């Protein structure tokens, strides 16, 4: 399904919907050296042409600009400022980043237009390659993306066998003097988690990231990056998206590298993920943006003006950014269809950007941030439906793609009404943390039903496991109760954290739903900064500290989790919804629950979980009632220790405090 504006941009510079037309928009462009002191003197300006068919579409061909074959060009659009907060703004003339630029170079800021009213926008340069008469996305030194050797999508894992790894791009290591060294883990640094021969450029001395393939050893089969789109957030999570069509400048510029290689680095990371059998999810922020070019190009068509009484504002939170308008209808050029029709500019802008990410970066899944602040179910469904249509046209199968929303209240209507494929299941995090303290959830009358809802998300109202993304911790670690799991246990008086962290992972990886692991939780990483204030920016810069993996007890947790991850991916019983609780024991201070996953007698999983201080004396047994029969020729295997269970001890093995045993038929 061709997206009209993306097709047009291959042959023309295109500016859609400039707002203040007191001055006709123009293109400012040049083949410049970013390191040259007089670089901006080499720029030329060309007036854009208004389309004869659409008054809101302005274009110019590269041939009219006399571009040279094989050269990389830096460019901006000249517009009258449309930002509405001060009357004087309407007289300002400035150069803006192309709002659909596929590459941004933050080393070069826009010049000041020479005419009266010219002001500095400080907008970064848009970058493009002129090749074979076409405008081709590229990095600033001309590198381009190629997908010739990409892995076919039908070889990648299906939704109900996923184990997702959520990776923030803020990393650290403990230096020999005990101090913490922090920095960004770039796209190329992430390769050090996948390929043993690739070393981390930012942390070259960090053993965990060199001569290893941490994510391959862990066994996850989906990688989810916090927003990889370009933003001003140099050291934070990147949720203040500025340039939706471009990979993040800073994540494409490792230490000691002059020119950014964001687009090719990200494409290479995705390609390697596919080669290693991993799907690639991106995190997309659509409720608001920060410093997006449309802030100046056409504010009122795309954004809510604070304090104007706009009914779309309501209780939505822009977190210091500009809230998109999702109910403002206009008539004009439709960027998806290329026809004249009625549409909402912000909706079509963000639909066009996800079409670009699906086509250009070959992503396999989407996580939509803060859908409550999008506050428009119709748009969410339009967005999801378009993404799925494009996936289908790409030849992808329905069960190998997901569009998932994040909202901490878990509004199930979004999946029941087919607005989204799934939701982050924040209730799983809340419940697992309570049961690890031996308590039922705040809103549950019993411990037993807390565990039942924890293990089978259908008891919460989901109808299929692919609709729920379960996690022990998410990147949102600010405030009491949200901190990393290790810190949560310590803050609640638990001194021996290892057994309970292992128990938590046994629940996560045998529950109905798609398990997601926050980077570092697999080895009990802990906070390096004070994040007790959930509104403090520390929660966005507290790093993943891979150097802690060297601790013996943390290595034991990592190996335990890796065994369960590998089992989760391969077990048919864990890929279906079927769950049955076989045994519940609350006698004499015990909290022992046993559940069965699967529906085939010769392919079952049984989990014996002890959420209490009770343990059987050495050499004694604990009998589980209703243990399923052992089919002829089969035997039981315990996964966490990778051992065969003697037939005389099936359903009778002793239990330890705060322990889970995971059994399957072999």
């Amino acid at each position: 399904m061709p997206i009209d504006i993306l097709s047009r941009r291959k042959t023309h510079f295109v500016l859609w919907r400039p707002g203040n037309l007191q001055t006709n928009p123009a293109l400012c462009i040049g083949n410049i050296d970013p390191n040259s002191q007089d670089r901006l003197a080499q720029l030329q300006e060309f007036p854009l042409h208004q389309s004869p068919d659409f008054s809101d579409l302005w274009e110019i061909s590269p041939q009219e600009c006399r571009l040279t074959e094989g050269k990389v060009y830096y460019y901006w659009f000249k517009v009258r400022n449309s930002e509405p907060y001060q009357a004087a703004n309407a007289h300002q003339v400035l150069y803006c980043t192309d709002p659909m630029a596929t590459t941004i170079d933050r080393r070069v800021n826009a010049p000041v237009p020479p005419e009266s009213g010219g002001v500095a926008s400080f907008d970064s340069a848009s970058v493009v390659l002129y090749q074979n008469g076409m405008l081709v996305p590229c990095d600033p030194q001309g590198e381009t993306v190629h997908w010739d050797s990409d892995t076919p999508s039908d070889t990648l894992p299906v939704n109900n066998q996923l184990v997702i790894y959520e990776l923030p791009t803020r990393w650290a290591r403990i230096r020999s003097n005990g101090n913490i060294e922090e920095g960004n883990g770039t796209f190329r640094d992430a390769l050090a988690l996948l390929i043993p021969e690739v070393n981390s450029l930012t942390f070259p001395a960090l053993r965990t990231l060199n001569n290893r393939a941490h994510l391959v050893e862990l066994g996850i089969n989906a990688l989810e990056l916090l927003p990889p789109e370009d933003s001003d957030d140099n050291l934070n999570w990147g949720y203040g998206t500025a340039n939706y069509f471009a990979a993040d400048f800073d994540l494409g510029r490792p230490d000691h590298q002059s020119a950014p290689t964001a687009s090719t680095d990200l494409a290479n990371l995705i390609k390697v993920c596919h080669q290693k059998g991993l799907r690639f999810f991106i995190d997309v922020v659509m409720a608001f943006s920060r410093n997006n070019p449309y802030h100046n190009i056409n504010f009122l068509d795309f954004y809510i003006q604070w304090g104007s009484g706009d009914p779309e504002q309501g209780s939505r939170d822009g977190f210091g950014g500009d809230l998109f308008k999702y109910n403002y209808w206009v008539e004009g050029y439709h960027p998806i269809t290329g026809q004249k029709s009625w549409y909402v500019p912000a909706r079509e802008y963000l639909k066009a950007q996800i079409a670009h990410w699906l086509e250009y970066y070959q992503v396999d899944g989407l996580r939509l941030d803060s859908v409550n602040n999008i506050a428009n179910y119709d748009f969410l469904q339009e967005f999801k439906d378009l993404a799925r249509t494009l996936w289908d046209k790409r030849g992808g199968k329905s069960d190998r793609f997901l569009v998932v929303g994040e909202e901490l209240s878990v509004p199930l209507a979004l999946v029941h009404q087919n607005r989204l494929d799934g939701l982050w299941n924040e209730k799983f995090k809340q419940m697992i943390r309570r049961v690890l303290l031996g308590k039922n959830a705040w809103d549950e009358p019993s411990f037993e039903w807390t565990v039942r809802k924890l293990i089978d998300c259908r008891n919460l109202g989901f109808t299929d496991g692919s609709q729920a993304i379960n996690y022990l911790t998410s990147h949102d670690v600010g405030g009491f109760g949200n901190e990393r799991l290790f810190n949560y246990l310590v803050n609640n008086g638990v001194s021996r954290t290892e057994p309970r962290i292992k128990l938590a992972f046994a629940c996560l990886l045998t529950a109905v739903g798609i398990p997601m692991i926050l980077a570092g939780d697999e080895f009990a990483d802990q906070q390096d900064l004070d994040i007790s204030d959930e509104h403090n920016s520390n929660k966005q810069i507290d790093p993943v500290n891979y150097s802690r993996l060297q601790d013996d007890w943390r290595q034991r947790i990592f190996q335990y989790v890796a065994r369960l991850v590998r089992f989760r991916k391969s077990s048919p019983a864990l890929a279906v919804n079927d769950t049955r609780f076989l045994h519940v024991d609350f006698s004499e201070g015990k909290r022992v629950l046993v559940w069965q996953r699967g529906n085939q007698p010769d392919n079952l999983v049984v989990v014996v979980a002890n959420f209490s201080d009770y343990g059987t004396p050495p050499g004694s047994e604990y009998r589980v009632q209703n243990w399923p029969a052992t089919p002829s020729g089969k035997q039981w295997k315990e996964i966490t220790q990778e051992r065969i269970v003697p037939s005389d001890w099936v359903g009778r093995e002793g239990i330890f405090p705060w322990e889970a045993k995971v059994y399957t038929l072999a």
Side-chain angles (χ1 to χ4, degrees):
M1 175 183 177
I3 304 301
D4 189 78
I5 199 164
L6 299 185
S7 298
R8 284 176 182 267
R9 286 174 49 81
K10 295 176 182 179
T11 59
H12 287 74
F13 294 95
V14 179
L15 179 60
W16 172 53
R17 294 202 71 79
N20 187 342
L21 294 178
Q22 295 179 37
T23 299
N24 287 349
L27 175 71
C28 177
I29 189 168
N31 169 233
I32 66 175
D33 178 358
N35 299 310
S36 171
Q37 291 187 347
D38 64 345
R39 60 196 178 198
L40 299 182
Q42 304 169 44
L43 297 171
Q44 292 183 279
E45 191 171 294
F46 300 91
L48 297 179
H49 309 307
Q50 190 173 33
S51 167
D53 300 315
F54 308 105
S55 62
D56 53 352
L57 188 66
W58 296 75
E59 301 174 311
I60 189 171
S61 73
Q63 292 80 13
E64 291 178 85
C65 303
R66 301 182 297 278
L67 301 192
T68 302
E69 170 68 23
K71 296 291 186 180
V72 174
Y73 286 88
Y74 284 59
Y75 70 97
W76 296 264
F77 289 125
K78 185 177 75 174
V79 298
R80 284 272 181 185
N81 195 357
S82 70
E83 201 254 32
Y85 292 109
Q86 297 182 32
N89 290 348
H91 301 289
Q92 294 177 348
V93 179
L94 38 74
Y95 291 123
C96 291
T97 306
D98 180 352
M100 296 186 180
T102 53
T103 297
I104 300 299
D105 194 338
R106 291 181 174 274
R107 297 175 300 169
V108 183
N109 289 334
V112 177
E115 61 260 57
S116 174
V119 297
S121 67
F122 303 103
D123 272 18
S124 302
S126 317
V127 181
V128 72
L129 171 67
Y130 181 58
Q131 189 173 68
N132 299 324
M134 306 288 282
L135 297 173
V136 179
C138 72
D139 284 321
Q141 291 189 324
E143 304 93 338
T144 57
V145 169
H146 300 282
W147 292 98
D148 297 342
S149 60
D150 192 30
T151 303
S153 62
D154 59 3
T155 66
L156 298 175
V158 296
N159 295 333
N160 59 8
Q161 291 182 316
L162 288 177
V163 181
I164 301 172
Y165 192 78
E166 188 192 23
L167 182 64
T169 53
R170 181 75 166 154
W171 294 2
R173 72 181 182 96
I174 300 174
R175 304 183 70 178
S176 57
N177 61 6
N179 293 332
I180 302 295
E181 178 187 10
E182 302 174 48
N184 275 331
T186 64
F187 299 134
R188 290 176 66 185
D189 289 307
L191 281 179
L193 299 172
L194 291 163
I195 304 176
E197 296 78 19
V198 174
N199 291 339
S200 170
L201 300 178
T202 308
F203 299 100
L206 185 51
R207 187 177 66 185
T208 306
L209 299 175
N210 294 325
N211 303 314
R212 300 275 301 276
H214 179 77
L215 295 185
V216 176
E217 292 177 20
L218 179 59
I220 55 94
N221 58 9
L223 178 62
E224 178 180 313
L225 278 191
L226 269 61
E229 301 92 342
D230 183 71
S231 82
D232 297 340
D233 296 341
N234 182 23
L235 295 177
N236 291 353
W237 290 334
Y239 280 92
T241 306
N243 299 293
Y244 280 85
F245 291 68
D248 186 77
F249 171 85
D250 293 300
L251 297 183
R253 196 183 183 201
D255 289 355
H256 313 300
Q257 178 175 303
S258 174
T261 47
S263 63
T264 50
D265 286 353
L266 177 55
N268 189 42
L269 174 61
I270 296 171
K271 190 183 298 186
V272 170
C273 282
H274 291 170
Q275 291 168 354
K276 300 287 185 181
L278 280 69
R279 298 234 317 252
F280 194 89
F281 282 65
I282 61 167
D283 199 341
V284 186
V285 183
M286 303 195 303
F288 60 92
S289 70
R290 293 200 190 104
N291 299 322
N292 177 266
Y294 274 117
H295 178 98
N296 298 114
I297 293 172
N298 193 339
F299 187 98
L300 291 177
D301 269 16
F302 288 84
Y303 296 113
I304 292 169
Q305 182 180 357
W306 288 95
S308 65
D310 192 316
E312 278 204 62
Q313 181 172 329
S315 60
R316 296 170 66 193
D317 191 344
F319 299 98
D322 298 320
L323 283 169
F324 281 109
K325 283 181 177 176
Y326 286 122
N327 244 343
Y328 180 70
W329 292 83
V330 300
E331 186 179 25
Y333 166 74
H334 194 296
I336 305 299
T337 66
Q339 303 297 315
K340 184 176 182 179
S341 63
W342 286 89
Y343 61 89
V344 176
R347 295 191 193 188
E348 305 313 318
Y349 176 62
L350 289 167
K351 285 156 68 175
Q353 64 97 17
I354 211 59
H356 169 71
W357 281 83
L358 281 163
E359 175 188 348
Y360 188 68
Y361 286 112
Q362 303 284 292
V363 298
D364 319 292
L366 311 174
R367 183 262 192 190
L368 312 185
D369 179 67
S370 192
V371 294
N372 58 310
N373 284 307
I374 295 173
N376 191 302
Y377 279 20
D378 289 343
F379 169 59
L380 288 174
Q381 184 167 355
E382 284 180 22
F383 186 90
K384 183 265 298 180
D385 288 348
L386 176 65
R388 281 201 157 274
T389 298
L390 293 169
W391 174 256
D392 180 66
K393 297 297 184 184
R394 208 173 96 187
K397 294 183 178 179
S398 176
D399 61 355
R400 286 174 170 83
F401 186 73
L402 275 176
V403 182
V404 175
E406 178 264 336
E407 155 52 16
L408 300 186
S409 68
V410 194
L412 289 169
L414 286 170
V415 291
H416 293 163
Q417 297 174 13
N418 200 32
R419 311 287 188 162
L420 295 172
D421 297 327
L423 289 167
W424 269 27
N425 185 12
E426 174 74 6
K427 293 186 181 300
F428 186 97
K429 184 190 84 174
Q430 296 168 358
M431 291 186 294
I432 189 67
R433 292 176 175 228
R434 293 290 291 174
V435 300
L436 291 176
L437 303 179
K439 301 175 181 179
N440 48 292
W442 299 107
D443 55 352
E444 289 298 328
S446 72
F447 189 89
E448 177 182 343
W449 269 100
T450 301
V451 176
R452 285 179 178 271
K453 291 183 176 182
L454 177 78
I455 299 303
D456 190 346
C457 64
R458 294 175 299 170
N459 289 324
L460 292 170
F462 293 97
T463 59
D464 185 79
S466 65
Q467 297 172 347
I469 309 297
N470 299 331
Y471 47 90
L472 308 175
T473 314
S474 78
H475 65 267
D476 206 354
V477 292
F480 183 76
N482 298 318
E483 60 268 60
R484 280 193 177 271
L485 182 59
F486 172 85
N487 294 81
Y488 176 82
L489 294 172
V490 171
N491 291 344
N492 281 279
V494 177
S495 57
R496 293 189 66 246
T497 59
E498 181 179 347
R500 299 196 203 203
I501 291 173
K502 289 178 176 178
L503 173 59
F505 273 102
C507 293
L508 175 69
L509 291 162
T510 64
V512 180
I514 297 172
M516 182 181 75
I517 301 171
L518 173 64
D521 264 13
E522 71 275 15
F523 56 85
D525 194 15
Q526 64 193 69
Q527 312 295 160
D528 290 305
L529 302 174
D530 178 12
I531 46 83
S532 56
D533 180 357
E534 63 178 310
H535 301 294
N536 190 302
S537 63
N538 278 357
K539 74 174 184 177
Q540 290 201 44
I541 61 175
D542 192 83
V544 184
N545 201 328
Y546 283 103
S547 58
R548 289 198 172 99
L549 188 57
Q550 301 172 54
D551 297 342
D552 288 343
W553 70 275
R554 286 188 160 102
Q555 184 61 216
R556 290 195 298 270
I557 290 175
F558 174 78
Q559 296 299 334
Y560 180 96
V561 174
R563 287 191 288 271
L564 283 175
V565 168
R566 290 193 293 269
F567 179 58
R568 171 75 191 212
K569 296 187 305 179
S570 61
S571 171
L574 296 177
V576 296
N577 296 323
D578 301 77
T579 303
R580 188 161 71 97
F581 277 77
L582 306 176
H583 175 88
V584 177
D585 183 0
F586 290 92
S587 65
E588 300 175 344
K590 304 186 194 79
R591 290 186 216 89
V592 181
L593 294 96
V594 180
W595 55 90
Q596 172 187 299
R597 295 292 315 280
N599 54 20
Q600 301 297 321
D602 61 347
N603 201 334
L604 300 174
V605 173
V606 176
V607 183
V608 180
N610 180 14
F611 300 92
S612 70
D613 292 324
Y614 170 81
T616 52
S620 61
E621 65 180 38
Y622 181 85
R623 287 186 175 269
V624 175
Q625 305 300 321
N626 303 317
W627 193 276
T630 306
S632 176
K634 293 280 188 177
Q635 55 187 343
W636 289 93
K637 179 181 180 181
E638 204 284 311
I639 296 299
T640 67
Q641 298 176 14
E642 295 186 323
R643 59 183 175 82
I644 298 298
V645 179
S647 57
D648 291 346
W649 283 94
V650 172
R652 298 170 50 198
E653 291 196 308
I655 57 175
F656 294 97
W658 303 100
E659 180 208 36
K661 289 186 172 73
V662 180
Y663 300 92
T664 192
L665 288 161

